[in-house]
Each structure stands twice: as structure tokens, then as C-alpha cells.
Amino acid sequence: MAQQLLMPKATAVWLVDNTALSFDQIAQFCKLHPLEVKAIADGESAQGIKGLDPIATGQLSRDEIARAEANPNHKLKLSEPKVRVPESKRKGPRYTPVSKRQDRPNAILWLVRNHPELKDAQISRLVGTTKSTIEQIRERTHWNSANLTPMDPVTLGLCSQIDLDLEVERASKGRPLPTAAELGATLESAQETEKLPYGGHEREEEKEIDADAVFAKLKSLKSSRPEDEDDDL
């Protein structure tokens, strides 16, 4: 892995302020344009950037700076790091223990049935299988299709719940929302809702009954008034 300068512009600010290096030398070392280094020296650029000492960070030595100051044609070179960081290995298919490889077809069948939105590459990352095996299980052409049983890969220990949830979330992004038919719920038509016993006829009957009761009560009150007047006389 090639070495890279940390914070090039901040390093350039420090070199401009603390050394007699030419703009071209600083530009070549910091991977900047000479005019950009000149703007830093004139205060027209990087005004809010604090200079980073490359000697303190171990990226330059004082001797290297002194050689470059003495020779305008000398190109600054990064110092060799004291600690070598091993390069990260390229991430390949998930390794599956031999004892659990026989459970992968069952896990693939579970993922295909319960999460059809997952792509073959995602399933391959989760359980460490090949696309051809996934296609065979999807198309029921796998040599052991008759004996396969859907089993949760998390329960089988082939992947973690976090990994599964992450892949499902990725697959769900950009997917259209499920329709009412897919959810199994539909709206009733207006004709159907009108037929429902909402109480419309019952209310009319109640109104009629209430009206008869009111008139009957009024008649009884009228018939009782003359008798009361006779009693007063």
C-alpha cells in the first residue's frame, strides 16, 4: 500500500511558514498546484487551516528538509513509517464451518420464501453459498429439493440477526410500497357499505314511535285540563 501524506493542505501551511522551501517543492510534496501554495503564502487561501508539523507526525525528517532547502531541485520524500500496518484482505464469501454446510440449502430456502426481495448476491453473503446453488433452490432443481426444510439462518448460526436485518433493509430501499391486494385488505364498495345495518331504518322507526308518543301525551294533557277546571269551580 503506497504511503500517503496526512492532511496535505495543513502540511503545506506549516512548510510555508516554517521552511525556506520553494513553492514547487511544497506543491510536489503536498500534491498541490504551485499557484495554490503561492496563495497560501500570500494569505489568500487556507486562512482557517492550522499548520500540521510533518516532522512531529513522522512524515518528514529535519535532514530531508535541510537537503531540499539547500537544493531547489531536490524533491521531498516521505519518511519510512516506524510501524507497518498490514493491508486489509479483500473481503470474500463468508466462511461456513464444515459442520454447518449441510444446513445452507435449508437456510437458502428460508431466505427465498421469507425474503423474496433479497438478491442472490445478498443471500450469498449471508450464508456463504454460490449463485448457482441459489438458482437451483429457487427453481426446485436442487438434487435434495424434496428433503429441504426452511430454517432460519440466524438460528442455524450461519449469520447474525444484524447482518440479516441490514441486507433486508438494503433490499427494501427503493421498493414500492405493498398494494392493498398484497396486504389482503380491500375497501368495500359504496353499494356494499349502503347495505350495512348502520341503523338508518331503525332511526326512522324510532322517530315515528317518538312522535306518536309525544302526540298521545299531548292529548292526555288536553283531556285532563277540563276536569281540573271543573274541580276548581
Side-chain angles (χ1 to χ4, degrees):
M1 184 177 178
Q3 281 184 264
Q4 291 184 353
L5 179 67
L6 298 176
M7 301 178 65
K9 187 165 287 189
T11 302
V13 171
W14 189 92
L15 292 173
V16 167
D17 294 338
N18 297 277
T19 67
L21 295 171
S22 66
F23 294 160
D24 290 335
Q25 287 175 309
I26 297 174
Q28 177 270 329
F29 181 70
C30 298
K31 301 295 187 293
L32 300 174
H33 194 279
L35 293 177
E36 191 172 1
V37 178
K38 183 178 183 302
I40 293 174
D42 295 339
E44 299 174 358
S45 176
Q47 295 178 354
I49 297 178
K50 183 179 180 180
L52 178 66
D53 184 357
I55 300 174
T57 58
Q59 298 190 98
L60 264 183
S61 64
R62 295 187 183 276
D63 294 339
E64 181 69 11
I65 293 177
R67 280 194 294 270
E69 288 176 334
N71 182 10
N73 296 323
H74 181 76
K75 294 182 179 181
L76 291 168
K77 295 180 181 179
L78 282 170
S79 300
E80 290 292 329
K82 296 180 180 179
V83 179
R84 286 284 182 181
V85 179
E87 295 184 17
S88 59
K89 295 182 180 179
R90 184 178 179 182
K91 192 173 181 181
R94 181 186 295 272
Y95 172 76
T96 305
V98 177
S99 59
K100 295 181 179 180
R101 290 180 185 177
Q102 60 183 359
D103 295 327
R104 284 189 297 192
N106 294 328
I108 296 170
L109 182 60
W110 187 91
L111 291 171
V112 168
R113 288 188 178 181
N114 293 276
H115 296 287
E117 70 275 12
L118 291 176
K119 298 178 181 179
D120 291 353
Q122 293 178 298
I123 297 176
S124 180
R125 283 197 298 268
L126 287 171
V127 299
T129 185
T130 60
K131 290 187 178 182
S132 60
T133 304
I134 300 172
E135 291 177 0
Q136 291 173 4
I137 293 175
R138 285 185 189 275
E139 299 171 1
R140 306 295 294 177
T141 58
H142 190 267
W143 65 271
N144 198 27
S145 294
N147 299 320
L148 294 182
T149 304
M151 298 183 70
D152 189 346
V154 177
T155 305
L156 294 173
L158 295 173
C159 67
S160 66
Q161 187 64 51
I162 296 176
D163 291 337
L164 177 59
D165 293 342
L166 181 62
E167 295 294 350
V168 171
E169 183 181 356
R170 287 176 179 173
S172 300
K173 287 182 179 179
R175 191 184 182 200
L177 295 174
T179 61
E182 292 176 350
L183 295 174
T186 56
L187 294 174
E188 297 288 344
S189 62
Q191 296 177 352
E192 295 295 331
T193 54
E194 289 177 355
K195 295 179 181 179
L196 293 176
Y198 185 71
H201 298 293
E202 294 178 1
R203 288 184 179 180
E204 291 179 0
E205 293 176 358
E206 289 177 1
K207 288 181 181 179
E208 292 178 359
I209 293 173
D210 293 340
D212 294 339
V214 171
F215 285 122
K217 191 171 183 179
L218 289 174
K219 289 181 181 179
S220 62
L221 289 174
K222 287 182 180 180
S223 60
S224 62
R225 282 181 183 176
E227 293 178 0
D228 294 340
E229 292 175 357
D230 293 339
D231 291 340
D232 293 338
L233 293 172

